[in-house]
């Protein structure tokens, strides 16, 4: 199917795209390369640490950390699907990406992003069960249910990604291959199409409402119930502990959904390409490194597990 699509793009052969990125600001590219390399390294280290701790420490074998390790794995895959290609483009004059590479990058990054949207809502339900139904928590959040909800998040995310990827690359480009972005993403790819994309934009907006706003509504509902339950706790220490377990997740939700809604749930005529690049930098690079910092610095269990592992290493030496 893809070879035929490649031939249809330009009437002959379509070799790939030129990712313009920040080429209009060459002085910025070196700074971006260094910052990006540092951020990517710390993203790999931070998220790998959370995944390792969640598996090594028995105290972290709970639904909350099961979903957290899923989130960290998502962030690892998400940044890896984008950042290495971006680093290559920043390091030299070659800004190209093959047609197949663009298809894979769009499919992976969109699938992982959609999965994270749903997984964050699942994590909010977990916090709701922990705070509002503490006596029934272990029954409600059964390991089988946790695995089912995590699997459903991945499945829905990648089914949607497959649909969006096929619809985007079925659009005729009439030889246009200069993508005003640093990654293959739906909004800039829509701008390349040489036909009316109203139907695609309407479909994208409809799907964005489902993938973004329904999870947001579920998260808001969960936290309204959580807030009511916390306010009924008479102990100030108990209230602080309950707020602490939810604060990290709320911070991550605010950062992720704020940027995602800006990128995907606004009309195309209001979309600024330069602002879109800055927002994309935030949710592809900044957010994945912030997530492990938020969860480790604000979470006593993760810090305790880290100290335990470090002390073991010191004692073994």
């Amino acid at each position: 199917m893809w070879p035929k699509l490649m031939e249809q793009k330009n009437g002959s052969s379509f070799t790939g795209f030129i990712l313009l990125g920040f080429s209009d600001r060459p002085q910025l590219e070196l700074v971006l390369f260094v910052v990006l390399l540092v951020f990517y390294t710390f993203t790999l280290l931070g998220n790998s640490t959370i995944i390792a701790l969640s598996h090594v420490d028995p105290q972290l074998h709970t639904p909350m950390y099961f979903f957290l390790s899923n989130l960290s794995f998502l962030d690892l895959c998400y940044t890896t699907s984008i950042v290495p290609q971006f680093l290559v483009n920043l390091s030299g004059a070659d800004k190209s990406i093959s047609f197949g590479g663009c298809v894979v990058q769009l499919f992976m990054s969109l699938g992982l992003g959609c999965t994270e949207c749903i997984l964050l809502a699942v994590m909010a339900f977990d916090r709701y069960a922990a705070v509002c139904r503490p006596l029934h928590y272990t029954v409600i959040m059964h390991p089988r249910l946790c695995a089912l909800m995590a699997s459903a998040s991945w499945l829905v995310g990648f089914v949607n990604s497959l649909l969006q990827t096929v619809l985007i690359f079925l659009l005729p480009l009439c030889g246009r291959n200069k993508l005003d972005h640093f990654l293959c993403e739906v909004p800039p790819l829509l701008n390349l199409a040489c036909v009316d994309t109203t139907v695609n934009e309407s479909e994208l907006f409809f799907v964005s409402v489902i993938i973004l706003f329904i999870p947001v509504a579920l998260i808001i509902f969960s936290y309204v119930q959580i807030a009511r339950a916390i306010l009924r706790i008479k102990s100030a220490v108990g209230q602080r502990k309950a707020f602490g377990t939810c604060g990290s997740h709320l911070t991550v939700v605010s950062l992720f959904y704020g940027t995602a809604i800006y990128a995907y749930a606004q009309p195309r005529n209001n979309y600024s390409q330069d602002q879109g690049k800055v927002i994309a930098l935030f949710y592809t690079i900044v957010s994945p490194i912030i997530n492990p910092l938020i969860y480790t610095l604000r979470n006593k269990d993760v810090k305790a597990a880290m100290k335990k592992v470090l002390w073991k290493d010191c004692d073994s030496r």
Side-chain angles (χ1 to χ4, degrees), residues 220-234:
I220 291 172
F221 174 79
S222 296
Y223 276 102
V224 167
Q225 301 303 315
I226 288 170
R228 288 178 177 175
I230 290 174
L231 291 175
R232 287 197 294 266
I233 299 174
K234 296 180 180 180

PDB file of all heavy atoms in Angstrom, residues 220-234:
ATOM      1  N   ILE A 220     -11.334  15.161  36.160  1.00  0.00           N
ATOM      2  CA  ILE A 220     -11.960  16.213  36.974  1.00  0.00           C
ATOM      3  C   ILE A 220     -12.977  15.603  37.930  1.00  0.00           C
ATOM      4  O   ILE A 220     -13.011  15.941  39.126  1.00  0.00           O
ATOM      5  CB  ILE A 220     -12.625  17.276  36.072  1.00  0.00           C
ATOM      6  CG1 ILE A 220     -11.550  18.071  35.321  1.00  0.00           C
ATOM      7  CG2 ILE A 220     -13.495  18.221  36.908  1.00  0.00           C
ATOM      8  CD1 ILE A 220     -12.113  19.007  34.271  1.00  0.00           C
ATOM      9  N   PHE A 221     -13.809  14.686  37.419  1.00  0.00           N
ATOM     10  CA  PHE A 221     -14.798  14.020  38.278  1.00  0.00           C
ATOM     11  C   PHE A 221     -14.115  13.274  39.415  1.00  0.00           C
ATOM     12  O   PHE A 221     -14.542  13.355  40.576  1.00  0.00           O
ATOM     13  CB  PHE A 221     -15.645  13.052  37.444  1.00  0.00           C
ATOM     14  CG  PHE A 221     -16.579  12.218  38.267  1.00  0.00           C
ATOM     15  CD1 PHE A 221     -17.770  12.740  38.729  1.00  0.00           C
ATOM     16  CD2 PHE A 221     -16.259  10.903  38.600  1.00  0.00           C
ATOM     17  CE1 PHE A 221     -18.641  11.977  39.507  1.00  0.00           C
ATOM     18  CE2 PHE A 221     -17.115  10.130  39.374  1.00  0.00           C
ATOM     19  CZ  PHE A 221     -18.308  10.666  39.822  1.00  0.00           C
ATOM     20  N   SER A 222     -13.034  12.539  39.085  1.00  0.00           N
ATOM     21  CA  SER A 222     -12.307  11.777  40.111  1.00  0.00           C
ATOM     22  C   SER A 222     -11.758  12.694  41.188  1.00  0.00           C
ATOM     23  O   SER A 222     -11.887  12.405  42.388  1.00  0.00           O
ATOM     24  CB  SER A 222     -11.167  10.982  39.466  1.00  0.00           C
ATOM     25  OG  SER A 222     -11.661  10.018  38.566  1.00  0.00           O
ATOM     26  N   TYR A 223     -11.180  13.817  40.771  1.00  0.00           N
ATOM     27  CA  TYR A 223     -10.548  14.699  41.754  1.00  0.00           C
ATOM     28  C   TYR A 223     -11.549  15.537  42.536  1.00  0.00           C
ATOM     29  O   TYR A 223     -11.253  15.964  43.657  1.00  0.00           O
ATOM     30  CB  TYR A 223      -9.484  15.568  41.078  1.00  0.00           C
ATOM     31  CG  TYR A 223      -8.171  14.828  40.979  1.00  0.00           C
ATOM     32  CD1 TYR A 223      -7.756  14.261  39.786  1.00  0.00           C
ATOM     33  CD2 TYR A 223      -7.382  14.653  42.106  1.00  0.00           C
ATOM     34  CE1 TYR A 223      -6.565  13.553  39.704  1.00  0.00           C
ATOM     35  CE2 TYR A 223      -6.199  13.941  42.044  1.00  0.00           C
ATOM     36  CZ  TYR A 223      -5.793  13.402  40.845  1.00  0.00           C
ATOM     37  OH  TYR A 223      -4.630  12.681  40.787  1.00  0.00           O
ATOM     38  N   VAL A 224     -12.725  15.777  41.988  1.00  0.00           N
ATOM     39  CA  VAL A 224     -13.787  16.407  42.789  1.00  0.00           C
ATOM     40  C   VAL A 224     -14.188  15.476  43.930  1.00  0.00           C
ATOM     41  O   VAL A 224     -14.323  15.902  45.090  1.00  0.00           O
ATOM     42  CB  VAL A 224     -15.007  16.746  41.903  1.00  0.00           C
ATOM     43  CG1 VAL A 224     -16.212  17.106  42.767  1.00  0.00           C
ATOM     44  CG2 VAL A 224     -14.685  17.903  40.964  1.00  0.00           C
ATOM     45  N   GLN A 225     -14.350  14.180  43.605  1.00  0.00           N
ATOM     46  CA  GLN A 225     -14.690  13.206  44.640  1.00  0.00           C
ATOM     47  C   GLN A 225     -13.545  13.050  45.648  1.00  0.00           C
ATOM     48  O   GLN A 225     -13.779  12.909  46.856  1.00  0.00           O
ATOM     49  CB  GLN A 225     -14.992  11.837  43.990  1.00  0.00           C
ATOM     50  CG  GLN A 225     -16.136  11.861  42.989  1.00  0.00           C
ATOM     51  CD  GLN A 225     -17.428  12.385  43.589  1.00  0.00           C
ATOM     52  OE1 GLN A 225     -17.818  11.997  44.696  1.00  0.00           O
ATOM     53  NE2 GLN A 225     -18.092  13.281  42.869  1.00  0.00           N
ATOM     54  N   ILE A 226     -12.309  13.080  45.149  1.00  0.00           N
ATOM     55  CA  ILE A 226     -11.140  12.966  46.030  1.00  0.00           C
ATOM     56  C   ILE A 226     -11.076  14.157  46.978  1.00  0.00           C
ATOM     57  O   ILE A 226     -10.823  13.997  48.186  1.00  0.00           O
ATOM     58  CB  ILE A 226      -9.849  12.862  45.185  1.00  0.00           C
ATOM     59  CG1 ILE A 226      -9.767  11.483  44.512  1.00  0.00           C
ATOM     60  CG2 ILE A 226      -8.615  13.095  46.057  1.00  0.00           C
ATOM     61  CD1 ILE A 226      -8.668  11.380  43.477  1.00  0.00           C
ATOM     62  N   ALA A 227     -11.309  15.370  46.440  1.00  0.00           N
ATOM     63  CA  ALA A 227     -11.268  16.577  47.272  1.00  0.00           C
ATOM     64  C   ALA A 227     -12.318  16.515  48.379  1.00  0.00           C
ATOM     65  O   ALA A 227     -12.048  16.878  49.539  1.00  0.00           O
ATOM     66  CB  ALA A 227     -11.490  17.813  46.399  1.00  0.00           C
ATOM     67  N   ARG A 228     -13.513  16.046  48.042  1.00  0.00           N
ATOM     68  CA  ARG A 228     -14.564  15.911  49.059  1.00  0.00           C
ATOM     69  C   ARG A 228     -14.158  14.921  50.139  1.00  0.00           C
ATOM     70  O   ARG A 228     -14.371  15.165  51.338  1.00  0.00           O
ATOM     71  CB  ARG A 228     -15.860  15.445  48.391  1.00  0.00           C
ATOM     72  CG  ARG A 228     -16.546  16.493  47.550  1.00  0.00           C
ATOM     73  CD  ARG A 228     -17.792  15.925  46.886  1.00  0.00           C
ATOM     74  NE  ARG A 228     -18.512  16.933  46.121  1.00  0.00           N
ATOM     75  CZ  ARG A 228     -19.571  16.676  45.365  1.00  0.00           C
ATOM     76  NH1 ARG A 228     -20.039  15.418  45.294  1.00  0.00           N
ATOM     77  NH2 ARG A 228     -20.171  17.635  44.698  1.00  0.00           N
ATOM     78  N   ALA A 229     -13.557  13.806  49.721  1.00  0.00           N
ATOM     79  CA  ALA A 229     -13.141  12.794  50.695  1.00  0.00           C
ATOM     80  C   ALA A 229     -12.024  13.324  51.595  1.00  0.00           C
ATOM     81  O   ALA A 229     -12.008  13.065  52.803  1.00  0.00           O
ATOM     82  CB  ALA A 229     -12.672  11.539  49.957  1.00  0.00           C
ATOM     83  N   ILE A 230     -11.098  14.067  51.012  1.00  0.00           N
ATOM     84  CA  ILE A 230      -9.973  14.603  51.788  1.00  0.00           C
ATOM     85  C   ILE A 230     -10.460  15.626  52.814  1.00  0.00           C
ATOM     86  O   ILE A 230      -9.982  15.662  53.962  1.00  0.00           O
ATOM     87  CB  ILE A 230      -8.922  15.222  50.849  1.00  0.00           C
ATOM     88  CG1 ILE A 230      -8.208  14.122  50.050  1.00  0.00           C
ATOM     89  CG2 ILE A 230      -7.894  16.045  51.642  1.00  0.00           C
ATOM     90  CD1 ILE A 230      -7.247  14.638  49.001  1.00  0.00           C
ATOM     91  N   LEU A 231     -11.407  16.469  52.401  1.00  0.00           N
ATOM     92  CA  LEU A 231     -11.923  17.491  53.310  1.00  0.00           C
ATOM     93  C   LEU A 231     -12.672  16.888  54.496  1.00  0.00           C
ATOM     94  O   LEU A 231     -12.826  17.536  55.536  1.00  0.00           O
ATOM     95  CB  LEU A 231     -12.836  18.458  52.555  1.00  0.00           C
ATOM     96  CG  LEU A 231     -12.125  19.364  51.533  1.00  0.00           C
ATOM     97  CD1 LEU A 231     -13.125  20.187  50.759  1.00  0.00           C
ATOM     98  CD2 LEU A 231     -11.112  20.271  52.229  1.00  0.00           C
ATOM     99  N   ARG A 232     -13.130  15.635  54.337  1.00  0.00           N
ATOM    100  CA  ARG A 232     -13.809  14.953  55.441  1.00  0.00           C
ATOM    101  C   ARG A 232     -12.825  14.320  56.433  1.00  0.00           C
ATOM    102  O   ARG A 232     -13.231  13.893  57.516  1.00  0.00           O
ATOM    103  CB  ARG A 232     -14.754  13.881  54.890  1.00  0.00           C
ATOM    104  CG  ARG A 232     -16.010  14.440  54.241  1.00  0.00           C
ATOM    105  CD  ARG A 232     -17.087  13.375  54.100  1.00  0.00           C
ATOM    106  NE  ARG A 232     -16.690  12.332  53.164  1.00  0.00           N
ATOM    107  CZ  ARG A 232     -16.998  12.323  51.873  1.00  0.00           C
ATOM    108  NH1 ARG A 232     -17.713  13.309  51.357  1.00  0.00           N
ATOM    109  NH2 ARG A 232     -16.606  11.335  51.093  1.00  0.00           N
ATOM    110  N   ILE A 233     -11.544  14.251  56.039  1.00  0.00           N
ATOM    111  CA  ILE A 233     -10.522  13.712  56.936  1.00  0.00           C
ATOM    112  C   ILE A 233     -10.239  14.738  58.034  1.00  0.00           C
ATOM    113  O   ILE A 233      -9.909  15.888  57.752  1.00  0.00           O
ATOM    114  CB  ILE A 233      -9.224  13.373  56.161  1.00  0.00           C
ATOM    115  CG1 ILE A 233      -9.500  12.312  55.083  1.00  0.00           C
ATOM    116  CG2 ILE A 233      -8.137  12.885  57.122  1.00  0.00           C
ATOM    117  CD1 ILE A 233      -8.307  12.031  54.186  1.00  0.00           C
ATOM    118  N   LYS A 234     -10.354  14.340  59.272  1.00  0.00           N
ATOM    119  CA  LYS A 234     -10.186  15.273  60.386  1.00  0.00           C
ATOM    120  C   LYS A 234      -8.725  15.554  60.696  1.00  0.00           C
ATOM    121  O   LYS A 234      -8.376  16.625  61.179  1.00  0.00           O
ATOM    122  CB  LYS A 234     -10.889  14.727  61.638  1.00  0.00           C
ATOM    123  CG  LYS A 234     -12.409  14.607  61.463  1.00  0.00           C
ATOM    124  CD  LYS A 234     -13.067  14.063  62.712  1.00  0.00           C
ATOM    125  CE  LYS A 234     -14.578  13.948  62.523  1.00  0.00           C
ATOM    126  NZ  LYS A 234     -15.259  13.416  63.735  1.00  0.00           N
TER     127      LYS A 234
END
